[in-house]
Structures are given as C-alpha cells and as structure tokens.
Amino acid sequence: MKLYYLLLFALVLIFAKVNSYSQNPNNSDTKQTDTLTYKSADILVTSDKLKHPILITQPQSSINQDNLYYLSPSSVSEAFAKQPGISMISSGEGITRPVIRGLASSRIKTVVDGLGMETQVWDEQHGIGINENDFTQAIAVLGPSTLLYGPDAIAGVMIFNDEIPMNLTTTKAKANAGFMSNGLGFFGGIDVLGNSGSSSFWKLSFNTKSISDYRYDNNLRAFNTRFWRTGFNAIYGFKEDWGSIKFRYKLNFALYGILDPFELENPGFEDGEEYPHEFESPYHSIVGNRFQVNSDVSVGGRKLNLAVSAENDVRNEFEPHNGNPKLAEKFIGLTTNAVHFKTDYPVIATDDFETKLGLRSDYSKMENTAPYSFIPDNNILQTGVFFISNYKMTDWELTGGLSWDRSAVSTTNYNNLFEGNFDRDFSSVSGSAGLAYLPNALTNLSLNLSSGFRAPNVNELASKGFKPEDQRNEYGDKNLKAEKVVGIDLSFTQTNGGAKYFASVFLQNYSNFIYLEQNNDLTTLSDTLSFNFLQKDVQFYGFELGWGFTKNWESSSSEFDVSFSTTKNNLKSVNYIIY
C-alpha cells in the first residue's frame, strides 16, 4: 500500500465528517441495528440481501426511511452521500445522482423491489426518481454487481425495498413536516399501513417538498433555483399456502428550475413574479408512473421468485417563449416506456448449500417529443441468465456465480439531426467469487473478486450537438466498445454493543473505459466547450473507513458517526469528465 494511504489512515479523524441525531426508538415497528443488517417481523417480501446471500461478501452501506426524516436531505442521493464510499453529483435542489467510488450514471443501477428502474441514467441532470416514501430500507452495494443486476451495475447498485411487517394488529400512521428558512421551503409526508386480514397488508403514502430560490449575501437570491416534488405510493399484498404476491403503484412528479446566468445579471426579470413558488421557464418537468408485481410461489417445496414491472417516464425541458419566462414552450421532450422482468429458483437447496438459476430482461423505448434533440429515438433490450451459489461452513461462507448478458441498442433518426440509424449488440460473461469470515452475527470479514461489463449508452454512442442543461457540445461514437472491469475488495464490519466499525480497500481495472475529453479544435470553432466520448484502460483504487456508536437513553437514543473515503484513478488526460 502506498505511503500516503497510510498517512490518510492516520489522519482520518482530522478529515472526518460527523453526523448526529436523536430519535425515539419506539416510534417504528422496525429497527436498523447496524449499517449492514436490517431486521423486521415476518416481512412478506424479503430484501435482496436476504434473497441473495452472495451480497454478504460485497462492501455495502445502508440507510432507512427515518434517516431522511431526521437529517432532512433534499434527496435520497444526499442521504447516501453521508455514507463511506458514496458521494453525489448535484446540479440544483433535488437534482442529484449517487456516485459510488468515483463512478455514477449508467454505471450504477437503481433497483426497486428487485427490479431495475428507468432513470435516464445517461444524463447527470436527471435525478434517480426515488422519493422518501418509496422505500423503508435502502442498500448501496459498492463495486461490480453485474452478476445479479446486469450490465448497468458495473460500478454498483442502489437497492430500494419497501417492506411491511405482517404482524400488525392495528392501522399505523406516521407523518412528518418541516420548514426551511433559506428558500422558504417546506416538506411533509404521511405513511398509513395496516392489515386487511391475518395474511394480507396494504400501505398508502404521500410526500411533497417545495423550495423557492436559494438566498445568499445581502438577501440576494439565485433566481430560478426553485424545486417542487410530489410522490405517491400504493401497495397491497397477501400471503397464502402457495406463496405470496405484492402489487405496487408508484408516482413521481417534479419541477426543477434551471439557473440561467443571464438572469443573475438582470434582476428586472423578477418584476411581476408571484414569489416565492411560481415556476418560470427555463425549467424541467418529470412525471414517472410505475406498476410492479412481486411474487414468490412454492414449487417443489422451494420458492420460485417472480417480478415484473411496467413504467412510463416523461421528462421535458421548457424554455421562455420569445424571451418571456412567463410563457413556456417545450424545447426538449423525452418519453420512455419500459418493461422489466426477473425470476430465480433454487435448483439445489440444503441447510449448507444453495444454488439458484435466474433469468432477467429489461426493455426500454425512448422517443423525442419536442423540436430539439441531442440523442436519437432508441430501443434497448437487455437479457441475461445467471447462477449463484452459497456454501455455509461453521464460521465461513463461500459465494460465487456466473452470468451471461446481452445488450442490444438500436436508434431511429429524429428530425434528420443524426447521421443515420445503427444497431449494436454487446455481450459478455461476468462472475463473482467471495469468502466471508463470520465468527458471530455482528462481525464480517470478507474478500470478494468480481467482474462485470457495460454496453455504451445511447448518449455515448449517438449524441451530437449542444446540451442546454450542461452548456456544452457532446459528440458520441457509434463504434465504441463495451466496458469491462475486474475488481477485488477486502472489507471488515463489526457491531460491538453500541459501537460499529467499517473498513474496506479496493482495486478495479477497467478496459475500454468511456469518458469525455475536451476537443479544443471544436471548442474554438463553435465558441462553446466541446467534448468527444473516448475510451482508455483505467485503474480505480481507494478505501473507505467508518466508525460510530449509538447511546440509548430512557426515552430516546443518540447516534454518532464518522466516515472517510477516497478514490483515485490513473486516467491520463488533460481536460476530461467522468460521469
């Protein structure tokens, strides 16, 4: 290990970030006992970590819904950014994406109740579309996760599960509300859940958040940095002798103001404004609808897991009509329809050994619906088969598996803005092998070796021209190759009484890594920053550290956390962007 890594270990407390909060431990039916383990009474549909023990050898961080209430971040990504190994990209209030070990966007997959979710990952100006009421517990898996979740999980995965206890005897309701002085913001939400019988449950939840312009020195404000988001969730499920089934509908609606530098220099634009929460162009609008069914069926004394979802995602950008911000006209429009499917079954299951076979498929169709476009209409079909095995010994667990995945991308020219259609196919075999030492239920020392691959996304293959949100030109290359990675992780976690510890070190070797590099010739010609998508072999390496403790009082508890992490890479380039 290099000398400066040892120095960073020694100086961790100097650079630590500290978060603390208090809570009443009796306010919830569930309790997060440490950063890796989540326990609840008789949950109908269990979490991915319980379904797939292979995750036990991979470094992870977790949060629950209460973390958002107590810390009041503007997004799930912001809450995760307080965890070791995770940061975020933010381009405005609520517009955030998680960054795992320096990588983001189409290298991190968002998974809701076991299935992928369409989040326009190729653009850092789009959030992941997860609200506070969309989950009870969330796990971020650090490192290649292609084996379980497919090509878009080459750097990690964000897993969101909404889990409801089956032992409720009365209807439960939980509400929260708050106010933020800077920006005159407010937020609130309510969750109501209960049982319709001895073997069924339901849940309804709603939340909203609205923030006006950010204020800085002398009460000046960053005009049009306002934000409004509303979410709704409805869940119903039941359990019978043959198995269980869970139905879920999710709605996400959001408006995001777009900061315009010209308006900062012209305060006259504020005249006649219905301050503080009127939306004026330019701004984004997002409407996401998702319906999902999860089921486990008893077949031969074992559970066949089935999950399917359909979603519609509409994202628009509005610009001033004839220079008038009061009159908005649609400038960019993207509509995506997607279907996701996954199933797995334990073909071998004993007390000590289990092997599962699985199949997954994700299909999406994106269409432009406005005059301007920087990527063509496209269809993406991803399919994969996998097997995973887990062998338990006295104090050890051995995990491993292989997967084969194929990603097919095709485009349709839109408004004759692009050079023609293309049809590309990418496929590869990925794998994982891990060993965990588990001397007790609260200690985990793990070594994990994994590989993965990712097909270039549509933006990298076909973008051509100016991106208003980023104020730069981007030019794709339809001949890009698929990225591949081989990584190794060593991690340690322990909970001892009220104290908890976390540490990991990793090395990841990428071949054909895709990034943006500035093109000085095009920048000079267009008088706008211009970038090309290029590829190189790159190495990422780093470590994460975390420490904390929980003190229980008579009617409350206090939690103290310290974490530090760093990621480096050896990419040789002058002006480049990784996202």
Side-chain angles (χ1 to χ4, degrees):
M1 181 177 291
K2 296 184 178 180
L3 178 61
Y4 64 83
Y5 267 24
L6 296 176
L7 293 175
L8 286 173
F9 269 102
L11 295 174
V12 61
L13 293 180
I14 298 176
F15 294 97
K17 56 184 180 181
V18 179
N19 303 288
S20 64
Y21 61 88
S22 296
Q23 70 180 79
N24 185 334
N26 298 318
N27 281 347
S28 174
D29 292 297
T30 61
K31 183 177 180 182
Q32 183 178 349
T33 57
D34 57 62
T35 57
L36 290 177
T37 304
Y38 182 87
K39 297 181 179 179
S40 183
D42 194 20
I43 295 171
L44 178 62
V45 180
T46 57
S47 70
D48 276 64
K49 186 173 181 181
L50 297 177
K51 284 184 178 179
H52 302 300
I54 194 171
L55 294 178
I56 202 168
T57 62
Q58 290 188 263
Q60 355 180 339
S61 292
S62 66
I63 63 172
N64 61 24
Q65 193 179 59
D66 289 339
N67 296 140
L68 299 181
Y69 294 149
Y70 300 137
L71 302 178
S72 187
S74 296
S75 68
V76 174
S77 300
E78 185 178 344
F80 261 115
K82 303 177 186 298
Q83 304 293 319
I86 306 173
S87 57
M88 69 174 180
I89 297 172
S90 178
S91 54
E93 187 65 48
I95 311 176
T96 59
R97 280 198 171 276
V99 179
I100 295 179
R101 292 176 169 175
L103 300 172
S105 298
S106 57
R107 297 182 178 95
I108 299 176
K109 189 163 188 173
T110 300
V111 173
V112 176
D113 281 345
L115 288 176
M117 179 174 170
E118 176 56 50
T119 63
Q120 305 286 12
V121 292
W122 43 265
D123 194 329
E124 70 268 33
Q125 295 288 341
H126 296 159
I128 62 174
I130 297 292
N131 297 326
E132 292 93 330
N133 64 338
D134 289 339
F135 68 97
T136 54
Q137 183 231 5
I139 298 173
V141 181
L142 315 184
S145 305
T146 302
L147 170 62
L148 282 178
Y149 300 103
D152 292 337
I154 191 172
V157 61
M158 309 293 290
I159 303 170
F160 298 93
N161 294 307
D162 203 334
E163 301 165 335
I164 302 174
M166 287 290 296
N167 61 351
L168 294 177
T169 57
T170 60
T171 299
K172 301 280 187 177
K174 179 170 63 175
N176 75 96
F179 176 79
M180 292 162 282
S181 59
N182 192 328
L184 300 181
F186 62 87
F187 62 90
I190 183 170
D191 289 340
V192 183
L193 64 156
N195 287 348
S196 300
S198 60
S199 61
S200 63
F201 70 86
W202 58 270
K203 177 180 179 181
L204 296 174
S205 58
F206 169 84
N207 76 335
T208 188
K209 178 175 287 188
S210 179
I211 302 174
S212 186
D213 294 336
Y214 179 81
R215 290 188 172 271
Y216 51 101
D217 294 341
N218 300 318
N219 208 33
L220 297 175
R221 61 194 177 97
F223 182 75
N224 214 27
T225 54
R226 58 204 62 179
F227 159 71
W228 178 36
R229 181 185 67 214
T230 295
F232 173 75
N233 247 319
I235 295 175
Y236 175 75
F238 58 88
K239 185 176 183 179
E240 300 290 348
D241 293 338
W242 54 264
S244 65
I245 191 166
K246 172 182 173 182
F247 302 93
R248 180 178 185 181
Y249 170 73
K250 167 179 153 32
L251 169 68
N252 176 49
F253 174 76
L255 297 175
Y256 304 87
I258 300 175
L259 179 64
D260 189 330
F262 177 74
E263 292 171 346
L264 288 176
E265 302 170 3
N266 295 270
F269 270 74
E270 298 183 12
D271 294 344
E273 180 191 359
E274 297 175 11
Y275 182 75
H277 293 277
E278 178 193 15
F279 266 84
E280 298 183 359
S281 53
Y283 66 88
H284 292 285
S285 73
I286 298 175
V287 181
N289 290 277
R290 179 183 174 99
F291 179 73
Q292 181 165 335
V293 180
N294 289 72
S295 180
D296 54 64
V297 181
S298 180
V299 179
R302 303 167 190 168
K303 286 187 176 181
L304 171 67
N305 294 307
L306 296 164
V308 62
S309 69
E311 61 183 305
N312 171 262
D313 186 85
V314 180
R315 303 190 180 221
N316 297 316
E317 180 181 329
F318 295 88
E319 295 290 333
H321 178 70
N322 294 329
N324 184 354
K326 301 287 186 181
L327 299 176
E329 62 179 350
K330 188 162 69 171
F331 183 62
I332 297 175
L334 301 171
T335 297
T336 302
N337 293 296
V339 178
H340 310 276
F341 171 79
K342 186 176 182 179
T343 182
D344 62 69
Y345 180 74
V347 293
I348 301 174
T350 67
D351 291 340
D352 301 325
F353 182 74
E354 180 181 75
T355 294
K356 285 186 177 182
L357 294 181
L359 171 69
R360 57 173 170 257
S361 182
D362 300 271
Y363 172 76
S364 66
K365 180 178 181 179
M366 197 206 79
E367 296 178 305
N368 288 276
T369 60
Y372 182 78
S373 174
F374 49 85
I375 61 172
D377 295 352
N378 61 85
N379 295 276
I380 300 175
L381 176 62
Q382 294 182 342
T383 54
V385 293
F386 63 91
F387 84 87
I388 54 175
S389 294
N390 175 256
Y391 178 56
K392 297 179 180 179
M393 296 167 277
T394 303
D395 293 327
W396 300 82
E397 284 198 28
L398 180 64
T399 66
L402 290 173
S403 69
W404 175 87
D405 288 277
R406 173 182 178 269
S407 183
V409 184
S410 62
T411 65
T412 303
N413 204 348
Y414 178 72
N415 283 358
N416 296 316
L417 294 174
F418 303 92
E419 295 179 355
N421 304 333
F422 64 80
D423 195 338
R424 296 287 310 276
D425 268 300
F426 307 88
S427 63
S428 183
V429 174
S430 303
S432 178
L435 179 65
Y437 175 57
L438 308 165
N440 54 62
L442 301 176
T443 302
N444 184 338
L445 175 63
S446 296
L447 178 67
N448 190 73
L449 177 66
S450 57
S451 65
F453 104 105
R454 179 182 76 92
N457 62 44
V458 174
N459 191 39
E460 295 162 339
L461 291 168
S463 62
K464 181 183 179 183
F466 185 65
K467 294 182 68 175
E469 301 164 328
D470 301 315
Q471 295 293 299
R472 64 177 182 246
N473 294 320
E474 291 185 5
Y475 298 94
D477 181 355
K478 63 182 180 182
N479 296 312
L480 290 175
K481 300 177 181 178
E483 284 184 352
K484 294 186 179 182
V485 65
V486 176
I488 186 170
D489 295 90
L490 178 65
S491 62
F492 172 77
T493 60
Q494 185 179 60
T495 300
N496 185 6
K500 53 189 177 185
Y501 311 91
F502 172 82
S504 66
V505 60
F506 68 92
L507 173 66
Q508 297 173 354
N509 287 305
Y510 279 83
S511 58
N512 302 318
F513 184 82
I514 301 172
Y515 66 100
L516 278 172
E517 185 170 89
Q518 184 172 332
N519 187 318
N520 293 323
D521 293 335
L522 289 176
T523 298
T524 302
L525 288 173
S526 63
D527 199 28
T528 302
L529 287 175
S530 298
F531 292 81
N532 293 102
F533 282 102
L534 302 178
Q535 290 187 296
K536 283 185 179 179
D537 293 346
V538 181
Q539 186 179 86
F540 286 80
Y541 51 91
F543 68 88
E544 297 98 22
L545 290 174
W547 171 77
F549 67 86
T550 300
K551 175 64 176 178
N552 293 314
W553 309 95
E554 185 174 343
S555 60
S556 66
S557 65
S558 296
E559 183 167 315
F560 176 87
D561 292 289
V562 176
S563 65
F564 178 77
S565 59
T566 185
T567 299
K568 302 287 185 181
N569 70 72
N570 63 352
L571 181 60
K572 306 295 184 182
S573 180
V574 179
N575 295 306
Y576 66 90
I577 299 174
I578 295 175
Y579 72 87

